[in-house]
Amino acid sequence: MELIKVCNENSLFKSEARYLVSRRDPELWAQVLQEENEFKRPLIDQVVQTALSETQDPEDISVTVKAFMTADLPNELIELLEKIVLDSSVFSDHRNLQNLLILTAIKADRTRVMEYINRLDNYDAPDIANIAIGSELYEEAFAIFKKFEVNTSAIQVLIEHVQNLDRAYEFAERCNDPAVWSQLARAQLNGNLVKESIDSYIKADDPSEYLEVVDVASRNDSWEDLVKYLQMARKKARETFIETELIYAYARTNRLADLEEFISGPNHANITQVADRCFDDKMYDAAKLLYNNVSNFARLAITLVHLGEFQGAVDGARKANSTKTWKEVCFACVDSEEFRLAQMCGLHIVVHADELEELINYYQDRGYFEELIQLLEAALGLERAHMGMFTELAILYSRYKPQKMREHLELFWSRVNIPKVLRAAEQAHLWSELVFLYDKYEEYDNAVLTMMNHPTAAWRENQFKDIITKVANIELYYRALQFYLDFKPLLLNDLLLILTPRLDHTRAVNFFLKVGEILLVKPYLRSVQNNNNKAINEALNNLLIDEEDYQGLRASIDAFDNFDNIALAQKLEKHELIEFRRIAAYLYRGNNRWKQSVDLCKRDKLFKDAMQYAGESRNTDIAEELLAWFLEEKNDECFAGCLFQCYDLLRPDVILELAWRHNIIDFAMPYMIQVMREYTSKVDKLEQSEQVRAENEEKAEDKPIVFNEPQLMLTAGPANPMMPPQMAAPGMMPPQAGAMGGPGPGPGFVQPGMPMPGYGM
């Protein structure tokens, strides 16, 4: 240290510098290079200018440089290293020193880095360049890479750090290195410079990034450039993706000739995928070629539809034979109003029940009702025709051609869904067709109700008569009666005859009585009177009374007795016509009201009836009362006739007395003769009986008693015959015997001059 001090005091810096370099003492260097050393600068100058240039020992250089680095004197170190490296010396090409010089400059004086890079040649270029990049010395790093021809790293610096693609492009052109072009292409691609990127990839002959290139080019619609790239890529790699995208690019650029040539040759492209993409992007011409190539007739048909080639579309659909395809082609033809072709397609659709509704709605939504009906009419003759077709056609007829619906139903009612068609017919107010369907569906009640609710359109006489007998609800019978009364009264009896087996006749008669139309149904009443129903009998009897048909009334009364006899008799006895009063008497007689019957005949001077009813009464009082009335009326002839009519009821003594008192013995004489004859015959019979009895007794007395035979015990003797009441007058002859005991007149005997009993008395 004393030496150092002496040198400093005497300004012997050159000697001091030589000493320090040769001594190689780090501690000594640390002392002299301290910041407090006022002689530091002159000393450093001498070290740089004299000491290091004179030494040939690398160790001296190394220790000195380390001392400067330890003392953190970068600028001074730069001076030192420049002297060593830049000046021609044995250490000019020393790699570490050059590295140290550049690194120190990067750290302390960046303005000098470029100079060192250009002047020096023996340093670790990649490492130095990376350090420069880390210190944001991009131009210096580029210069290093460029100088040492690390072109990929150089262009990477331009791209990533300098971010100047123009310079990068110029650099790539200058070096014309495929790797450089690839890097540039990648950067251009990231910068969305599609055309430039593709050109760069082509110059690099690099297909490795084809996925990204295709993606970016597609997004930017750079199809022409993409074709060039993919053509280059296909030469390098026969990838499916590349060939597929090349086809699509041909389609996008409308290079159909190239596309057709490509797909005609051997390739690995996914043509179906490309075709679908072309179809989705509405490139139908290209899609047509592609679908045709892969024989995808279903999609080909749809594509031809979009191209307006409908006939070809139908042919394609026929080859595809797919319901979905038929539908799409059909709908397209409908939209284009190609109804003939649409019908050809529709015939293949309607046979599928699940597709029928959609087809019908499509036609209907566009208002093509006539064409839809024609389609379904044509489809009815198909072998696979099903119920849905017949049903939907019926519904369409109900909406758009009601005049044809009836004919359709009559032909195909068994093949339609009747409930569904019923609703349609009801909505369309097709009442006649509705009745027809109800009849076929066996809903007879609804059919009858419909005809009654809509008679103008739905009622048919024969049909109504046929259906009304099948209804389940009998109440409809009576509604039908009211309906006929309102609309068809002249046909009412025909209806009643049809309804007779199930009709409640009492209720029916009451109904007509209530509405006051009983006369209208007289034929019906006559036809069902055989049932001997009380209501029918009374109603018909009243009608006959109103019509003054006494003969018909008498026949009705005689044939059918189920009615209120007394009420009718009471009604008739006040009638103004004698024949009806006569019937009243007849009714009283039928109910054993003999006195009323005879009195009524007496009042109307119906002598024959009076005598007949008195005789039938078997009542002596009535008969004798009638005789007394004849006498009061001085009707001697009827008196004689009544004697004949009531012969067995009369008492001879009473008759004889009446005749004697009224001086009409002549009129009573036939009766008396008959009585005498009757009594004489009875006496003769008694005498004969007595004679026979006496003879039998004599024989019994003469006969010996035989004890071996069983004995009969006489328990009762012969009873004396009692004389009839008519024998009260002794000496009277019975009517059967004559006055002299001979045969008398028979029951039909009438005295000469005596009138015959009858109405004329």
Side-chain angles (χ1 to χ4, degrees):
M1 290 299 295
E2 292 180 359
L3 177 61
I4 297 301
K5 185 177 179 181
V6 171
C7 289
N8 288 337
E9 290 176 352
N10 294 287
S11 298
L12 298 174
F13 299 113
K14 185 180 294 188
S15 299
E16 182 180 355
R18 290 188 181 117
Y19 173 75
L20 288 171
V21 170
S22 60
R23 179 71 183 270
R24 304 175 188 172
D25 186 354
E27 294 181 358
L28 189 59
W29 274 111
Q31 279 289 345
V32 298
L33 294 178
Q34 289 181 357
E35 189 68 31
E36 295 81 9
N37 185 5
E38 57 181 330
F39 304 106
K40 181 179 68 171
R41 181 69 252 179
L43 176 62
I44 291 174
D45 292 340
Q46 290 302 317
V47 170
V48 171
Q49 294 175 7
T50 304
L52 290 180
S53 60
E54 292 177 354
T55 183
Q56 299 295 320
D57 191 343
E59 188 64 25
D60 293 342
I61 300 297
S62 176
V63 172
T64 302
V65 171
K66 289 180 180 179
F68 274 73
M69 293 175 64
T70 303
D72 193 19
L73 298 172
N75 292 323
E76 289 76 2
L77 180 59
I78 289 174
E79 293 179 16
L80 174 65
L81 292 174
E82 281 184 348
K83 185 66 176 178
I84 298 172
V85 174
L86 296 180
D87 291 348
S88 296
S89 68
V90 294
F91 301 106
S92 297
D93 294 329
H94 196 282
R95 180 179 295 275
N96 291 335
L97 292 179
Q98 289 187 7
N99 290 340
L100 183 58
L101 175 59
I102 296 173
L103 292 175
T104 304
I106 290 172
K107 182 178 180 182
D109 188 0
R110 295 187 175 190
T111 59
R112 305 173 70 175
V113 173
M114 184 62 75
E115 178 187 356
Y116 298 152
I117 290 171
N118 293 329
R119 292 182 63 182
L120 301 177
D121 297 315
N122 191 23
Y123 52 86
D124 295 325
D127 296 334
I128 299 298
N130 290 329
I131 293 172
I133 291 171
S135 300
E136 299 183 354
L137 297 175
Y138 305 128
E139 292 294 341
E140 288 77 0
F142 172 71
I144 293 172
F145 287 132
K146 181 179 178 181
K147 181 175 182 179
F148 288 90
E149 295 183 354
V150 186
N151 296 327
T152 56
S153 298
I155 197 167
Q156 185 176 1
V157 171
L158 292 176
I159 293 169
E160 295 181 3
H161 302 293
V162 178
Q163 296 181 351
N164 190 331
L165 294 181
D166 293 336
R167 286 181 60 190
Y169 179 77
E170 292 173 0
F171 176 76
E173 274 194 329
R174 190 163 49 250
C175 65
N176 198 22
D177 185 350
V180 172
W181 281 117
S182 293
Q183 281 190 288
L184 175 60
R186 159 66 76 176
Q188 290 171 330
L189 191 64
N190 293 336
N192 218 25
L193 300 174
V194 181
K195 181 178 182 355
E196 293 80 356
S197 173
I198 289 176
D199 289 342
S200 298
Y201 273 122
I202 292 173
K203 291 177 180 178
D205 202 18
D206 178 15
S208 61
E209 301 294 335
Y210 62 84
L211 292 175
E212 292 187 32
V213 173
V214 170
D215 181 52
V216 175
S218 300
R219 291 201 306 268
N220 290 273
D221 290 332
S222 300
W223 301 107
E224 289 288 351
D225 299 313
L226 182 59
V227 168
K228 298 176 184 177
Y229 173 78
L230 292 173
Q231 287 174 335
M232 176 274 298
R234 184 169 182 258
K235 295 175 182 177
K236 304 286 288 185
R238 305 279 291 191
E239 292 284 342
T240 299
F241 180 82
I242 293 174
E243 296 190 353
T244 300
E245 291 300 323
L246 178 57
I247 294 174
Y248 184 71
Y250 279 144
R252 294 293 301 197
T253 55
N254 204 30
R255 295 164 66 171
L256 301 181
D258 293 338
L259 185 151
E260 188 171 9
E261 180 182 357
F262 183 91
I263 62 177
S264 299
N267 62 81
H268 300 89
N270 190 337
I271 296 178
T272 301
Q273 176 187 345
V274 181
D276 291 340
R277 288 173 64 187
C278 292
F279 182 87
D280 295 337
D281 293 337
K282 300 182 179 180
M283 295 184 293
Y284 300 119
D285 289 317
K288 172 184 173 182
L289 294 174
L290 296 169
Y291 283 131
N292 194 43
N293 180 265
V294 296
S295 300
N296 188 341
F297 298 111
R299 299 292 286 180
L300 175 61
I302 308 306
T303 304
L304 293 172
V305 163
H306 289 287
L307 291 173
E309 300 177 18
F310 297 106
Q311 184 61 58
V314 172
D315 295 338
R318 184 176 291 108
K319 294 177 182 177
N321 197 23
S322 163
T323 303
K324 180 181 179 182
T325 306
W326 282 119
K327 281 169 55 180
E328 293 184 11
V329 175
C330 178
F331 293 164
C333 291
V334 170
D335 292 336
S336 301
E337 299 187 1
E338 293 285 344
F339 296 114
R340 183 184 65 82
L341 298 175
Q343 179 172 322
M344 294 172 62
C345 300
L347 292 176
H348 293 83
I349 300 172
V350 295
V351 294
H352 301 282
D354 295 340
E355 308 293 343
L356 181 59
E357 183 177 359
E358 183 181 358
L359 176 68
I360 291 173
N361 291 336
Y362 197 88
Y363 270 86
Q364 288 190 125
D365 291 344
R366 288 152 183 79
Y368 301 132
F369 312 119
E370 184 70 30
E371 291 75 11
L372 177 58
I373 290 174
Q374 292 175 0
L375 168 59
L376 290 178
E377 287 176 342
L380 295 185
L382 296 177
E383 183 178 349
R384 296 172 63 190
H386 53 82
M387 177 179 287
M389 295 161 52
F390 294 94
T391 301
E392 294 298 336
L393 181 57
I395 293 173
L396 290 172
Y397 279 149
S398 71
R399 294 175 180 171
Y400 311 117
K401 284 191 174 183
Q403 68 276 10
K404 298 185 69 174
M405 185 179 182
R406 183 58 180 260
E407 179 185 358
H408 177 73
L409 292 177
E410 289 176 349
L411 290 174
F412 304 113
W413 66 267
S414 61
R415 303 188 68 178
V416 302
N417 184 338
I418 293 182
K420 192 172 182 180
V421 180
L422 276 173
R423 290 193 295 271
E426 185 173 6
Q427 291 172 358
H429 293 184
L430 299 177
W431 309 118
S432 178
E433 290 77 3
L434 188 63
V435 169
F436 178 84
L437 290 170
Y438 277 137
D439 183 20
K440 297 302 182 183
Y441 200 49
E442 298 183 0
E443 289 192 6
Y444 305 116
D445 294 29
N446 288 332
V448 168
L449 286 172
T450 302
M451 281 194 277
M452 291 192 293
N453 292 333
H454 307 280
T456 305
W459 182 83
R460 301 290 183 276
E461 180 183 1
N462 293 333
Q463 185 182 27
F464 187 88
K465 289 179 181 178
D466 180 56
I467 295 176
I468 191 67
T469 59
K470 303 175 185 177
V471 298
N473 185 4
I474 301 299
E475 289 298 319
L476 291 177
Y477 280 13
Y478 307 101
R479 289 190 61 179
L481 296 180
Q482 183 63 58
F483 167 74
Y484 265 67
L485 271 178
D486 295 338
F487 294 97
K488 297 290 179 181
L490 298 181
L491 300 176
L492 186 56
N493 285 288
D494 294 341
L495 175 66
L496 286 166
L497 293 177
I498 295 295
L499 303 181
T500 295
R502 298 175 65 191
L503 193 65
D504 182 347
H505 301 301
T506 302
R507 181 175 176 181
V509 169
N510 292 335
F511 168 76
F512 288 113
L513 288 173
K514 183 178 180 180
V515 298
E517 298 292 347
I518 193 67
L519 180 60
L520 193 62
V521 294
K522 181 180 177 182
Y524 154 71
L525 296 177
R526 285 196 178 279
S527 67
V528 297
Q529 196 177 12
N530 290 331
N531 297 324
N532 201 18
N533 179 277
K534 181 178 180 181
I536 293 173
N537 292 337
E538 291 180 350
L540 185 57
N541 291 340
N542 289 332
L543 284 178
L544 294 172
I545 293 171
D546 293 340
E547 295 174 355
E548 299 182 353
D549 182 4
Y550 65 89
Q551 293 177 341
L553 179 61
R554 181 63 177 265
S556 174
I557 290 171
D558 288 339
F560 309 104
D561 59 354
N562 187 12
F563 59 92
D564 191 341
N565 288 259
I566 303 303
L568 181 60
Q570 290 173 347
K571 180 178 180 181
L572 292 176
E573 68 178 334
K574 300 174 184 178
H575 201 282
E576 61 182 3
L577 297 181
I578 189 171
E579 288 296 337
F580 288 100
R581 296 197 297 274
R582 183 180 182 188
I583 293 174
Y586 179 75
L587 290 170
Y588 282 132
R589 165 253 189 186
N591 286 273
N592 295 325
R593 295 195 176 189
W594 305 104
K595 181 172 177 53
Q596 287 177 270
S597 177
V598 172
D599 289 344
L600 191 56
C601 292
K602 286 157 55 177
R603 188 174 65 195
D604 290 330
K605 301 188 182 301
L606 300 173
F607 304 133
K608 180 179 179 180
D609 289 353
M611 289 184 285
Q612 178 183 348
Y613 299 157
E616 291 176 357
S617 69
R618 316 307 299 167
N619 189 315
T620 301
D621 294 337
I622 293 174
E624 291 178 350
E625 183 181 345
L626 178 60
L627 288 173
W629 181 79
F630 283 142
L631 293 175
E632 290 176 4
E633 296 291 325
K634 300 188 180 301
N635 195 336
D636 299 338
E637 292 81 1
C638 287
F639 175 82
C642 186
L643 293 177
F644 171 78
Q645 189 72 33
C646 304
Y647 171 79
D648 53 346
L649 300 177
L650 301 175
R651 293 176 291 182
D653 58 331
V654 174
I655 301 305
L656 185 58
E657 180 183 354
L658 289 174
W660 175 69
R661 290 174 60 188
H662 291 83
N663 197 23
I664 54 171
I665 292 296
D666 291 342
F667 287 96
M669 187 52 67
Y671 168 78
M672 297 306 298
I673 293 171
Q674 182 69 23
V675 170
M676 291 299 293
R677 174 68 176 126
E678 181 179 350
Y679 281 108
T680 301
S681 298
K682 289 181 179 179
V683 171
D684 291 344
K685 288 181 180 179
L686 286 173
E687 289 179 349
Q688 291 175 3
S689 298
E690 183 63 25
Q691 183 178 357
V692 170
R693 186 181 65 78
E695 291 176 356
N696 290 336
E697 287 180 354
E698 289 179 358
K699 290 179 180 180
E701 290 177 357
D702 296 338
K703 185 176 181 180
I705 299 173
V706 181
F707 293 99
N708 292 333
E709 293 182 2
Q711 300 296 309
L712 297 176
M713 181 179 290
L714 186 62
T715 58
N720 292 326
M722 296 185 65
M723 295 182 66
Q726 292 84 346
M727 296 298 294
M732 296 286 286
M733 295 293 289
Q736 287 82 0
M740 300 305 292
F749 171 75
V750 179
Q751 176 141 351
M754 186 176 186
M756 290 291 291
Y759 296 123
M761 293 185 180

